[in-house]
Every structure is written in C-alpha cells, then in structure tokens.
Amino acid sequence: MTTTAQFLPAPPLFSPVAHNWKLAILAGLVVSAVAIVLFPAKLSLGVAGAMAALIAAAFTVNAYRRRYYGGLLVAPAIAVLFVMNIFPLLWSLGLSFFAYQSNNQSIRFVGLNNYIKVLTNDIAAPANWDALINTGMFVVFTVALQMITGFLLAMLFAKQFPLRKYLLILVLTPMMLSVVASGVFFSYYYDPTFGILSYVMGEITGNQFILMDNKLGAVAGIVFTDAWMWAPFVMLLVLAGLVSVPKYLYEAAAIDRVSKPRQFWTITFPYIRGLLMLALLFRTIEAFKLYDLVYILIRGGQDTKTIAYLITEIANEQNKTSEGAALSYVILFMVIVLTNLYLYLANRRNKGA
Amino acid sequence: MTIMTKMKGAATAFSFAALMSVGGASLASAEDVTLTMAVPDWPPTRIMKKFFDEQYKPKSGNTVKLEVDFIPWPDFYTRVNASLTSGEQKYNFIVSDSQWLGAFVEGGYFRKINDLLDADPDFMATFKTIHPNPLNAYSTYPHKTENYYGFPQFPDVLVNFARADIICHDEEQKNFQAKYGKKLPCTGEELDAMTWDDFKNVGEFFQRKKGDMLAGKPAEDDFYGIAFQAGKGYDFSSMQINGFIWQMGGDTWDETKAPQGQAEGVVNSPAAVEALTKYLDLIQYMPPVAKTGTMDIFVSDQLFREGKVAMNIDWIGLGEASLAADSKVKDKLVFGQMPGTMGADGKMIRWSNIGGQPFVLTTWTTESQTKEAVDFVKWWLSNDIQHQFAAGGGQSAVKAVYEDPKYVTYRPWNRAWAPQLEWQKDVWHVPQFFELLTQQQDQFDLAITGKQDAKTTLDNIAKFQQDKLKEVGLIE
C-alpha cells in the first residue's frame, strides 16, 4: 500500500487531478494575470488570493496522497512564515527597484537607481555613511560591553553564595522590561535637572555635569543603557554553559594540580565557547538594528543616528519607501556577510581545536 | 471524483477570499452612521469627544456615533501616516497638523471641501467667520488659495507662561531695577510689552544655584530664568526659530511665491542669521537639558510645572497642564504674549509660527457620512459650543467668540490669544514638508548643541532646500 502511494507517478501537466500542483500554479498565474488586467485592484487582489489558496490546496492534496505527512505538519508554520515574513520581504526587495513613495500612488521602474542613490548621491550618501559608521561603533561598543559584563556576571552566579537566587532574579529583570520603559527611565536618570547622575557628579566635582551635551557622553549613555538591558541575556546563555561542566573534571584537574587559569582554558572555556558564539551572534544582529534607545534618549542628536534610525526617517516619516527599502537591503547584505564570517571563523576554530 | 475534489477546493478558496473582502467593509444602514476619527490624545480632543457624547443631537435624526482613536502625540504622525499610506481607509476624520496638508492632499487622502461649502451658505458663513490667519494655515492648499480642506479643531499660538510669585516678588523687582534700569515685568500687560532683550535679561537675572536666595527664600534646587523649545524631535525648534526670523526681518522659503521664490539668499539672509544668533544666545540661560538638544515642548513644560524656571514660551494647548493638580505652580501663574522685536518705528513686531490643528475629511468617506460630518462641524463651530469649548480649556478662532468680553475670563492665558492671532504665519504645506523639516531640525540641533554657528547652519539649510525644491519643480 505504501509502495504504490510513494511511487505515485507525476501526472501529465494538463491532467485535472487534485494533486497536479504544476497545473494549479499555471492556472493560478494565468487567472491572476487576467484578473489584474480586467478587474479593479480590490477584486483582482481577491482573485489572486483565491488562486494562492488553490495552489496551496493542490500542494496539500499532493503531499497527502504521497504520504508526505512530515511536510503536511510543518505546512501551517511555513504558510504563516510566508504570509507574515517571506512575502513582505520579497515585496520590499521588489519595491527597491522602483521609484515609489507610499503617500503618492505612482510607481515607476528605475532598476538599480535607488541603490546608486543611497550609495553615491551627494546629499543622501554622506548621511548614510555617517549612520553606518555610527552603527558600526554601537555594534562594537555595545556588544563588547555586554559580552564582558555578561560573562563576568555568569562567572559570579555560577558559584553558590547566600541570596544568589534572589539576586539572580534582580539581575535578570532589565532584560524583561520593555525597551521604551528602560529608555524613559534612563532619560530621567541622565537628565541634568532631575537626574541622579548629574546630581552626584555635581556634588563630587562642584561643576554642573551634563552627560549628553557631547557625542562621547551621548554614546556612553546609550551603550550603558543597552548593556544594562542585554548583559543579563549574555549571562543567561553563559551560565547555562557553566553549569553543564561536569564537576569531576575540576576534581581531576585539582588532583593533577592544574592551575586555575589553565583549568578555565582547558575545561570551562570549551563548554561555553559555543554559547558565547551564539550570544555574540544574537547581540550583533540586534545591535545592527539599534533604534529605540537612540530615539528615546537623544532623538538621534549629537551625531548618534544609526542606520535603523535613518531608515525610519526616510521610509516612515518622509515616505520615501523604495529608497528606504534599498538602504535596508544594503544593510541586510552586510549583516548576512558578517554573520557568515563569524560562523566560518567559529567553525574553523572548532576544527583547529 | 478528482475533478470534484479540485472544484470543491476551488469553491472553498473562493468563498474564503469573498469572506475576507466582505469582513473589512463596515455595515452601515441609513439610520446608523459611524464616523471614525484619529486624534492626538490631549485635552482639546478629549473635550470634543465629551461634548459630542453629552450634547450632540444630529439634525438628520440618524443615530451618529463618533468613534475616536486617541493616539499619543509622539506617535501621532507615524500612526496617521501609516494608516493613510497603507490604504486601510479606516478614518473619516483626521486631526492633522497644518503642515501635513500638502503631503496628504497630493496623495489623494484628504477631501477638498469647496463643494460642501458652496452647497451650504450657512456653513460658508460660519467658515468665513474664522480668523484668516488660522483659516489659511489650517485649510488652504496650495497655501493661501481658495482651495479648502480643513476646519479648525484646536487653534494654538505660543504664549509666555510666567511665575507671578517669583517675578512679582519685591526684592527681585528691586534688584532687577537696580541691575538693568528697567522694571521686571510682572503683570500680563508688562509681559506683553517684553522684547527678546528683556527676555534675555530675565534669563540672566534668574540664574540661581541651589541655596541662593530666590524670591526671599533659599532656592531648593538650581533655578533658571527662561525656557523655550530647542529640541531636535519633530518641529520642536523650528516653530520657535521661525518667529525670531520673521520678527527680525528675515524670511523662510515662501511657498506662495513658488516657483519664483528662492531658498538660497532668503533662508540664509543676514537678517535670518542675526535672528538665529539671537535665539542661540538665549540657550545658555535655560535649564541645562537644552544643551543636549532634547528640550522639546513637553520637556520645557515639565520643567516649568516642576517650578524650575521663571518664564517658559510654550503652546497654549499645554496651558491646561500647568493648572492641573500635579503642577507645582498652578496657583502662581501669569500669562502674556510671546516677546516681540521692537521695530525701527517704535512699534512691536510679533510674528510667530501658528500651532494648532485642523480636522480634515478623507476621500473615501461616503455621502451620508460626509453629510453627518458637515453637520457635526457646523455644530462644533457654532458660537455656543465654541464658547463651551473655550470655557473647558480649548481655544476658538471664530471671530464672534474670541471677541466676546467673556472670552478672556475663561482661562488666564486667553488674554494673550486674540491680539496674537493677527501675527500668526505658517511654514510650508508642500508635500516635501517632512524632508525639509527633518533636515532643518538636524541642522538647528547642531547649532543648539554648539557644534556649528548660525551662518553655517542657515547656509546648509538654504542649500538643501534650494536643491530639493528645484528637484521637485517648486523653485525654478
């Protein structure tokens, strides 16, 4: 029974059987194209939607008849992913090749012009490069600070001490707060009139202290807030690695009188290296998207505009949709290259070790 | 069998698609009309909703429901912009900032209302009693032509919020007189007569450290003389700087002169540079947060309510907050007009950038909805309701209302309202508004935080505007 089902022959292209997905795709494309030409936008969208449903139905029947149940089980997830994620992604990629502003219903194909503009235009490009350099700076500083603090915190919490459980909850709290809440909290914290930071610094130095009146201070403020929120995340990952190290390895090392630093490098580190890499990857990708704190704390002032901030300005406020899309894809490309570089280096090290 | 399965599948898919498209449409019968409205969340719109629910009886006899989305100010533009440009066609009525008109009229979202006015002489008559300055700013696109789009929802101007307990204190009065040879302004009339130089003196005079004497008592905290908007967000410096520039004989790019009017040479004229320099010169006397470029209208308002400054220039729309229970200065207030610049002929020049918002109708609003909306607007702009609105903390731009002697008794700042209406102007309603604004705010921020001087700032702005507006054909 299974054999016949699994070797169900592919039907000829024009055979009207329910599992003929090739025919469904062909029919869907033809009908949609005709609908787009003949009907108003709303109706043709409905027709195209119906055709997509038809194709999906054909695929489902096909999978069912071939007993391909695994595929059937993941299909709903893939459908949601496609509708919510992949389709908008492809749509915006398409938009980046058109001159399109969302508040103006005209659209025109311009090829690579948007990409050329965001990279070379004498007004747009310098702002983009500036924002890119700022983003790079934030990525390096925030990730470095989070990794170091998170790692040290994990080393601390790997040991047993009184009140450890409660302190751990306290340290993890910032990660669970919304970014906006933390941002507003820190904007008061840094405020020169109401804030405690300026108050304490003023008492110590006797001069008025304004953290955010220069770029260094503004960057420090943002980096600190970001690290405050996300160092616990790194800590959590590293801590998971630390507690998984078998105790007997340390006991054996102690018997062999291996020094503490050597114990760390030869026993502990190999266990947490993968998790550290993972934390680094997550935080780097996130850091590339830094927008909220820059907006809440300083409104992109003191030359702190990041690329995400700039894209929001261009695409959301100024409605230059396709230009924003082009810039986004440039960044996406960079992030993909960078993460792959990470993974490549990590794997090479693994093999070397 | 297989054909049947396929047809069944297709039928299901079709009915599903049909269901989706029907689900979005609203089901309104002739008797039930729902008007959906997007408004910023603050007292002027809350009052409007309250009046509607409590008092409004539609003349048509239909049941009219007003569904209002109250959106926080900082998100307001983004949310409205997203709703309009996504094509969801959710709102019939939108409270729009005056400068958005161009972008959304050109996009085909805002409905022209000339036909409604022409069809209804009553309505036209009410409409024409609105002061021409707010009317032009809130309603016309292209600016100052007879193409109408909006009705004033809440008109707004900048006024001087001052602390009577500080500035009227005898000792402060005496010391100020001794130092500057002039009386420290104390009453509303004296505040009205202030120039920016007087304002600067107040700023310099009231710089007190914690523990210094302030109005007969040691100050509990650092205290500052003056504050006004100098923030990078939205339009939180342009709206103040424009007033300086116009008062001192400079100009912004004038959209009514397009395409002959230029930006270069106008925006960065010597008078404009002088005006910006004067504005920047005052920053040093303001609370230190100004140096970070985040002193927006809400921050300066909060500093004032917390009792940290003697005088604050801010929108009347925020006045209600200064009287609220949590305001530390609620019983110590005096209000005057925004300071002016003394002209060569000895007359005060008071140009200022108008604030406030019109509400507009959207193009997809149905005929019956439009009819109800117009009835509602007529009711809203009727004298009785405008009086009640003003008494509840709003403002009215309807002549018969603000000229009524009762008007100034409603709120302490109302005395500064009518005289200032004559001096209100507005900037760009062109579709490129947001690009012009963002670039200008970025440049002003560099000047406010001390990164570049007034000349460079205005040169950069002028060059950007010239290039941008030339590109879109608004400058020849």
Side-chain angles (χ1 to χ4, degrees), chain A residues 125-138:
Chain A
N128 295 342
W129 287 118
D130 262 9
L132 197 64
I133 292 166
N134 280 336
T135 308
M137 177 190 70
F138 279 120

Side-chain angles (χ1 to χ4, degrees), chain A residues 103 299 302 305 316-317 319, chain B residues 77 81 107 232 442 451:
Chain A
N103 66 341
R299 300 284 188 274
Q302 309 290 10
K305 267 190 200 175
N316 280 15
E317 293 182 354
N319 291 317
Chain B
Y77 171 79
N81 188 36
K232 184 167 179 293
D442 284 4
K451 305 284 184 298

Side-chain angles (χ1 to χ4, degrees), chain A residues 158-225:
Chain A
K159 301 197 166 57
Q160 291 296 329
F161 54 88
L163 296 177
R164 175 180 173 274
K165 220 161 68 183
Y166 303 101
L167 279 174
L168 195 62
I169 293 170
L170 217 61
V171 170
L172 285 177
T173 317
M175 198 177 82
M176 299 165 199
L177 290 177
S178 97
V179 187
V180 177
S182 308
V184 170
F185 168 67
F186 272 92
S187 72
Y188 277 105
Y189 183 73
Y190 297 148
D191 186 285
T193 307
F194 302 114
I196 189 163
L197 183 68
S198 289
Y199 178 77
V200 170
M201 293 297 283
E203 293 288 302
I204 295 170
T205 62
N207 293 323
Q208 189 170 56
F209 179 78
I210 311 170
L211 178 70
M212 298 242 185
D213 70 348
N214 57 66
K215 182 167 180 176
L216 185 70
V219 170
I222 294 166
V223 168
F224 182 78
T225 311

Side-chain angles (χ1 to χ4, degrees), chain A residues 72-92:
Chain A
L72 274 180
L73 282 173
V74 292
I78 289 179
V80 170
L81 195 69
F82 184 81
V83 172
M84 310 299 280
N85 230 324
I86 298 170
F87 176 71
L89 201 68
L90 291 176
W91 188 268
S92 67

Side-chain angles (χ1 to χ4, degrees), chain B residues 179-254:
Chain B
K179 188 166 181 193
Y180 299 99
K182 268 184 150 181
K183 187 178 182 303
L184 174 61
C186 162
T187 64
E189 288 71 28
E190 285 165 0
L191 288 172
D192 291 350
M194 282 177 82
T195 64
W196 289 113
D197 294 322
D198 299 329
F199 193 65
K200 183 183 173 182
N201 289 344
V202 171
E204 192 185 47
F205 183 70
F206 281 110
Q207 280 206 304
R208 308 287 160 87
K209 289 266 156 243
K210 185 179 171 184
D212 290 356
M213 291 304 277
L214 175 71
K217 287 188 299 244
E220 285 169 15
D221 204 346
D222 292 357
F223 189 79
Y224 300 87
I226 53 172
F228 53 50
Q229 49 178 311
K232 184 167 179 293
Y234 193 47
D235 61 6
F236 303 137
S237 63
S238 296
M239 292 293 112
Q240 186 67 63
I241 293 171
N242 288 340
F244 273 80
I245 290 175
W246 293 329
Q247 286 188 7
M248 296 180 66
D251 208 352
T252 48
W253 174 68
D254 188 345

